[in-house]
Amino acid sequence: MVISLLPNNFKIVGWFILLPTIIIGLLFIYYDYSADWLNVKTFALVNKNFGNGTSYFTEIETNLTNTFLGAL
């Protein structure tokens, strides 16, 4: 089994991705920050609303800030 790693030059790129992500992640956690430009309509298999019941295969409005922070 061969394990291929990235060259050491990519360490700098990793730090440029990691540091802003940590700062924005802390803002998201402690100050409930969310980027307004990430409000999008997405497809949902199941949407459970407390007042309206459950709907299936619908489109919902959501913010993707936490999704992108988790991916980075």
Side-chain angles (χ1 to χ4, degrees), residues 54-71:
T54 303
S55 57
Y56 300 98
F57 302 107
T58 60
E59 194 174 71
I60 59 171
E61 181 86 23
T62 188
N63 191 293
L64 296 177
T65 304
N66 58 349
T67 303
F68 284 123
L69 287 175

Side-chain angles (χ1 to χ4, degrees), residues 30-56:
Y30 291 112
Y31 297 111
D32 199 28
Y33 172 79
S34 62
D36 292 334
W37 57 276
L38 287 175
N39 288 334
V40 296
K41 287 187 177 183
T42 59
F43 178 73
L45 293 175
V46 178
N47 184 19
K48 292 185 178 182
N49 291 330
F50 293 113
N52 298 337
T54 303
S55 57
Y56 300 98

